Short mmCIF file of all heavy atoms in Angstrom, two decimals:
data_model
loop_
_atom_site.label_atom_id
_atom_site.label_comp_id
_atom_site.label_asym_id
_atom_site.label_seq_id
_atom_site.Cartn_x
_atom_site.Cartn_y
_atom_site.Cartn_z
N ILE A 201 0.90 -1.20 -0.05
CA ILE A 201 0.02 -0.01 0.02
C ILE A 201 0.86 1.21 -0.01
O ILE A 201 0.57 2.25 -0.63
CB ILE A 201 -0.95 0.03 1.21
CG1 ILE A 201 -1.89 -1.19 1.10
CG2 ILE A 201 -1.73 1.34 1.33
CD1 ILE A 201 -2.71 -1.45 2.31
N GLN A 202 1.96 1.16 0.67
CA GLN A 202 2.91 2.30 0.70
C GLN A 202 4.30 1.73 1.14
O GLN A 202 4.44 0.69 1.70
CB GLN A 202 2.50 3.48 1.63
CG GLN A 202 2.71 3.09 3.11
CD GLN A 202 2.21 4.30 4.01
OE1 GLN A 202 1.06 4.73 3.89
NE2 GLN A 202 3.06 4.67 4.89
N ARG A 203 5.35 2.50 0.80
CA ARG A 203 6.72 2.11 1.04
C ARG A 203 7.28 3.18 2.14
O ARG A 203 6.80 4.32 2.16
CB ARG A 203 7.57 2.22 -0.09
CG ARG A 203 7.36 1.05 -1.16
CD ARG A 203 7.81 -0.17 -0.65
NE ARG A 203 8.00 -1.15 -1.76
CZ ARG A 203 8.51 -2.35 -1.54
NH1 ARG A 203 8.95 -2.70 -0.36
NH2 ARG A 203 8.56 -3.22 -2.50
N SER A 204 8.20 2.66 2.97
CA SER A 204 8.95 3.49 3.94
C SER A 204 7.98 4.23 4.86
O SER A 204 7.85 5.45 4.67
CB SER A 204 9.91 4.34 3.26
OG SER A 204 10.81 3.60 2.52
N PRO A 205 7.36 3.65 5.91
CA PRO A 205 7.42 2.28 6.22
C PRO A 205 6.52 1.42 5.33
O PRO A 205 5.58 1.89 4.77
CB PRO A 205 6.89 2.27 7.70
CG PRO A 205 5.98 3.38 7.73
CD PRO A 205 6.56 4.50 6.76
N ASP A 206 6.95 0.15 5.20
CA ASP A 206 6.15 -0.77 4.32
C ASP A 206 4.85 -1.11 5.00
O ASP A 206 4.74 -1.64 6.11
CB ASP A 206 6.99 -2.06 4.07
CG ASP A 206 8.13 -1.79 3.27
OD1 ASP A 206 8.09 -0.84 2.48
OD2 ASP A 206 9.07 -2.58 3.30
N VAL A 207 3.74 -0.84 4.26
CA VAL A 207 2.41 -1.17 4.63
C VAL A 207 1.88 -2.02 3.48
O VAL A 207 1.90 -1.65 2.34
CB VAL A 207 1.53 0.12 4.89
CG1 VAL A 207 0.04 -0.40 5.25
CG2 VAL A 207 2.10 0.93 5.98
N LEU A 208 1.27 -3.17 3.88
CA LEU A 208 0.87 -4.15 2.78
C LEU A 208 -0.31 -4.90 3.23
O LEU A 208 -0.70 -4.97 4.42
CB LEU A 208 2.02 -5.10 2.46
CG LEU A 208 2.54 -5.90 3.64
CD1 LEU A 208 2.97 -7.34 3.23
CD2 LEU A 208 3.80 -5.26 4.33
N LEU A 209 -0.97 -5.55 2.26
CA LEU A 209 -2.01 -6.53 2.58
C LEU A 209 -1.32 -7.84 2.89
O LEU A 209 -0.46 -8.30 2.17
CB LEU A 209 -2.91 -6.76 1.39
CG LEU A 209 -3.68 -5.54 0.78
CD1 LEU A 209 -4.46 -5.92 -0.39
CD2 LEU A 209 -4.51 -4.97 1.91
N ARG A 210 -1.70 -8.41 4.09
CA ARG A 210 -1.00 -9.60 4.59
C ARG A 210 -1.04 -10.76 3.52
O ARG A 210 -2.13 -10.94 2.85
CB ARG A 210 -1.58 -10.08 5.83
CG ARG A 210 -3.07 -10.62 5.81
CD ARG A 210 -3.52 -10.98 7.11
NE ARG A 210 -4.95 -11.48 7.02
CZ ARG A 210 -5.66 -11.78 8.11
NH1 ARG A 210 -5.35 -11.50 9.32
NH2 ARG A 210 -6.92 -12.19 7.96
N THR A 211 0.02 -11.47 3.37
CA THR A 211 0.13 -12.62 2.42
C THR A 211 -0.15 -13.90 3.11
O THR A 211 -0.29 -14.93 2.42
CB THR A 211 1.56 -12.64 1.81
OG1 THR A 211 2.46 -12.82 2.88
CG2 THR A 211 1.84 -11.37 1.03
N HIS A 212 -0.27 -13.91 4.42
CA HIS A 212 -0.59 -15.12 5.18
C HIS A 212 -1.04 -14.67 6.56
O HIS A 212 -0.80 -13.59 7.02
CB HIS A 212 0.55 -16.14 5.31
CG HIS A 212 1.90 -15.47 5.73
ND1 HIS A 212 3.10 -16.07 5.52
CD2 HIS A 212 2.22 -14.30 6.27
CE1 HIS A 212 4.06 -15.21 5.94
NE2 HIS A 212 3.52 -14.19 6.48
N THR A 213 -1.75 -15.60 7.29
CA THR A 213 -2.24 -15.23 8.59
C THR A 213 -1.18 -15.58 9.67
O THR A 213 -1.49 -15.43 10.87
CB THR A 213 -3.55 -15.94 8.97
OG1 THR A 213 -3.36 -17.38 8.79
CG2 THR A 213 -4.69 -15.55 8.03
N SER A 214 0.05 -15.85 9.21
CA SER A 214 1.17 -16.02 10.25
C SER A 214 1.40 -14.64 10.99
O SER A 214 1.91 -14.66 12.06
CB SER A 214 2.44 -16.36 9.48
OG SER A 214 2.29 -17.54 8.79
N SER A 215 1.00 -13.50 10.36
CA SER A 215 1.17 -12.24 11.01
C SER A 215 0.31 -12.29 12.35
O SER A 215 0.70 -11.63 13.32
CB SER A 215 0.65 -11.13 10.13
OG SER A 215 -0.66 -11.30 9.66
N VAL A 216 -0.80 -12.99 12.41
CA VAL A 216 -1.53 -13.07 13.62
C VAL A 216 -0.80 -13.83 14.74
O VAL A 216 -0.75 -13.47 15.86
CB VAL A 216 -2.91 -13.72 13.33
CG1 VAL A 216 -3.75 -13.79 14.71
CG2 VAL A 216 -3.65 -12.96 12.31
N GLN A 217 -0.04 -14.90 14.25
CA GLN A 217 0.73 -15.65 15.26
C GLN A 217 1.80 -14.73 15.84
O GLN A 217 2.03 -14.75 17.05
CB GLN A 217 1.40 -16.86 14.54
CG GLN A 217 0.42 -17.82 13.94
CD GLN A 217 1.10 -18.89 13.21
OE1 GLN A 217 2.33 -19.04 13.29
NE2 GLN A 217 0.34 -19.75 12.43
N THR A 218 2.51 -13.92 15.00
CA THR A 218 3.59 -13.02 15.59
C THR A 218 2.98 -11.92 16.49
O THR A 218 3.59 -11.68 17.61
CB THR A 218 4.36 -12.33 14.49
OG1 THR A 218 3.52 -11.53 13.70
CG2 THR A 218 5.01 -13.39 13.60
N ARG A 219 1.82 -11.52 16.23
CA ARG A 219 1.22 -10.51 17.18
C ARG A 219 0.86 -11.14 18.53
O ARG A 219 1.03 -10.54 19.58
CB ARG A 219 -0.10 -9.92 16.49
CG ARG A 219 0.21 -8.95 15.40
CD ARG A 219 -1.07 -8.24 14.89
NE ARG A 219 -0.73 -7.22 13.83
CZ ARG A 219 -0.46 -5.96 14.21
NH1 ARG A 219 -0.52 -5.59 15.46
NH2 ARG A 219 -0.18 -5.12 13.29
N VAL A 220 0.33 -12.39 18.49
CA VAL A 220 -0.01 -13.08 19.80
C VAL A 220 1.28 -13.39 20.48
O VAL A 220 1.32 -13.17 21.72
CB VAL A 220 -0.77 -14.34 19.39
CG1 VAL A 220 -0.97 -15.17 20.62
CG2 VAL A 220 -2.15 -14.04 18.83
N MET A 221 2.35 -13.83 19.81
CA MET A 221 3.57 -14.17 20.55
C MET A 221 4.25 -12.98 21.19
O MET A 221 4.86 -13.10 22.22
CB MET A 221 4.53 -14.94 19.62
CG MET A 221 4.09 -16.37 19.33
SD MET A 221 5.42 -17.28 18.47
CE MET A 221 5.34 -16.60 16.76
N GLU A 222 4.10 -11.84 20.56
CA GLU A 222 4.70 -10.56 21.10
C GLU A 222 4.07 -10.12 22.45
O GLU A 222 4.75 -9.56 23.24
CB GLU A 222 4.48 -9.45 20.08
CG GLU A 222 5.44 -9.46 18.78
CD GLU A 222 5.05 -8.32 17.93
OE1 GLU A 222 3.98 -7.75 17.84
OE2 GLU A 222 5.98 -7.99 17.17
N HIS A 223 2.83 -10.55 22.62
CA HIS A 223 2.09 -10.06 23.80
C HIS A 223 1.67 -11.18 24.77
O HIS A 223 1.07 -10.94 25.77
CB HIS A 223 0.86 -9.25 23.44
CG HIS A 223 1.20 -8.04 22.59
ND1 HIS A 223 1.07 -8.03 21.22
CD2 HIS A 223 1.61 -6.81 22.87
CE1 HIS A 223 1.46 -6.87 20.72
NE2 HIS A 223 1.75 -6.09 21.73
N THR A 224 2.05 -12.41 24.39
CA THR A 224 1.58 -13.53 25.21
C THR A 224 2.79 -14.54 25.45
O THR A 224 3.40 -14.82 24.49
CB THR A 224 0.45 -14.35 24.54
OG1 THR A 224 -0.58 -13.35 24.26
CG2 THR A 224 -0.12 -15.34 25.51
N GLN A 225 2.95 -14.89 26.71
CA GLN A 225 3.97 -15.93 26.99
C GLN A 225 3.35 -17.29 26.92
O GLN A 225 2.18 -17.45 27.19
CB GLN A 225 4.58 -15.60 28.40
CG GLN A 225 5.58 -14.54 28.37
CD GLN A 225 6.82 -14.74 27.49
OE1 GLN A 225 7.43 -15.77 27.65
NE2 GLN A 225 6.97 -13.88 26.60
N PRO A 226 4.14 -18.33 26.57
CA PRO A 226 3.60 -19.68 26.44
C PRO A 226 3.05 -20.20 27.80
O PRO A 226 3.40 -19.62 28.82
CB PRO A 226 4.82 -20.50 26.01
CG PRO A 226 5.72 -19.51 25.31
CD PRO A 226 5.55 -18.23 26.08
N PRO A 227 2.15 -21.12 27.74
CA PRO A 227 1.68 -21.90 26.55
C PRO A 227 0.79 -21.08 25.73
O PRO A 227 -0.06 -20.37 26.14
CB PRO A 227 0.96 -23.05 27.18
CG PRO A 227 0.48 -22.58 28.48
CD PRO A 227 1.52 -21.69 29.00
N ILE A 228 0.97 -21.28 24.37
CA ILE A 228 0.17 -20.62 23.31
C ILE A 228 -0.36 -21.74 22.43
O ILE A 228 0.38 -22.53 21.85
CB ILE A 228 1.00 -19.60 22.44
CG1 ILE A 228 1.50 -18.48 23.32
CG2 ILE A 228 0.11 -19.07 21.32
CD1 ILE A 228 2.50 -17.63 22.62
N ARG A 229 -1.59 -21.69 22.22
CA ARG A 229 -2.34 -22.65 21.36
C ARG A 229 -3.43 -22.00 20.64
O ARG A 229 -4.56 -21.84 21.11
CB ARG A 229 -2.85 -23.90 22.14
CG ARG A 229 -3.07 -25.10 21.32
CD ARG A 229 -3.85 -26.18 22.15
NE ARG A 229 -3.22 -26.61 23.31
CZ ARG A 229 -2.70 -27.87 23.49
NH1 ARG A 229 -2.74 -28.72 22.53
NH2 ARG A 229 -2.14 -28.17 24.68
N ILE A 230 -3.19 -21.54 19.41
CA ILE A 230 -4.10 -20.75 18.70
C ILE A 230 -4.28 -21.21 17.27
O ILE A 230 -3.39 -21.87 16.67
CB ILE A 230 -3.70 -19.22 18.62
CG1 ILE A 230 -2.29 -19.07 17.99
CG2 ILE A 230 -3.70 -18.64 19.96
CD1 ILE A 230 -1.93 -17.65 17.72
N ILE A 231 -5.46 -20.96 16.65
CA ILE A 231 -5.66 -21.10 15.26
C ILE A 231 -6.17 -19.85 14.65
O ILE A 231 -6.87 -19.10 15.29
CB ILE A 231 -6.77 -22.23 15.07
CG1 ILE A 231 -7.00 -22.52 13.54
CG2 ILE A 231 -8.14 -21.87 15.74
CD1 ILE A 231 -7.74 -23.85 13.40
N CYS A 232 -5.61 -19.50 13.48
CA CYS A 232 -5.76 -18.13 12.95
C CYS A 232 -6.44 -18.15 11.57
O CYS A 232 -5.74 -18.45 10.56
CB CYS A 232 -4.43 -17.42 12.83
SG CYS A 232 -3.45 -17.56 14.28
N PRO A 233 -7.79 -18.08 11.47
CA PRO A 233 -8.42 -18.04 10.12
C PRO A 233 -8.51 -16.64 9.60
O PRO A 233 -8.52 -15.71 10.40
CB PRO A 233 -9.81 -18.56 10.47
CG PRO A 233 -10.06 -18.17 11.86
CD PRO A 233 -8.74 -18.10 12.49
N GLY A 234 -8.55 -16.49 8.26
CA GLY A 234 -8.72 -15.13 7.67
C GLY A 234 -8.40 -15.04 6.19
O GLY A 234 -7.86 -15.99 5.64
N ARG A 235 -8.61 -13.87 5.67
CA ARG A 235 -8.39 -13.63 4.25
C ARG A 235 -7.02 -13.08 4.11
O ARG A 235 -6.53 -12.36 4.80
CB ARG A 235 -9.44 -12.68 3.69
CG ARG A 235 -9.28 -12.35 2.18
CD ARG A 235 -10.32 -11.40 1.78
NE ARG A 235 -11.74 -11.91 1.89
CZ ARG A 235 -12.81 -11.18 1.71
NH1 ARG A 235 -12.78 -9.93 1.29
NH2 ARG A 235 -14.01 -11.73 1.84
N VAL A 236 -6.39 -13.48 2.98
CA VAL A 236 -4.99 -13.11 2.74
C VAL A 236 -4.94 -12.69 1.17
O VAL A 236 -5.81 -13.11 0.45
CB VAL A 236 -3.95 -14.26 3.04
CG1 VAL A 236 -4.00 -14.58 4.49
CG2 VAL A 236 -4.18 -15.46 2.18
N TYR A 237 -3.88 -12.02 0.77
CA TYR A 237 -3.81 -11.42 -0.53
C TYR A 237 -2.40 -11.74 -1.14
O TYR A 237 -1.35 -11.56 -0.48
CB TYR A 237 -4.06 -9.93 -0.46
CG TYR A 237 -5.32 -9.56 0.18
CD1 TYR A 237 -5.43 -9.53 1.57
CD2 TYR A 237 -6.49 -9.35 -0.59
CE1 TYR A 237 -6.61 -9.16 2.18
CE2 TYR A 237 -7.67 -9.03 -0.02
CZ TYR A 237 -7.72 -8.91 1.39
OH TYR A 237 -8.94 -8.62 2.05
N ARG A 238 -2.38 -12.10 -2.47
CA ARG A 238 -1.13 -12.17 -3.17
C ARG A 238 -1.42 -11.81 -4.63
O ARG A 238 -2.44 -12.03 -5.14
CB ARG A 238 -0.58 -13.67 -3.09
CG ARG A 238 -0.18 -14.05 -1.66
CD ARG A 238 0.33 -15.48 -1.60
NE ARG A 238 0.43 -15.90 -0.22
CZ ARG A 238 0.84 -17.14 0.16
NH1 ARG A 238 1.04 -18.06 -0.76
NH2 ARG A 238 0.94 -17.37 1.45
#
């Protein structure tokens, strides 16, 4: 969508996993459904 900083449509829902791991300590057991773009 724009450069510097890079803003984009997510290409996978792995981004949800990283957001959860940033703010949650294990144990973590999640499933992340959603729409992605390529």
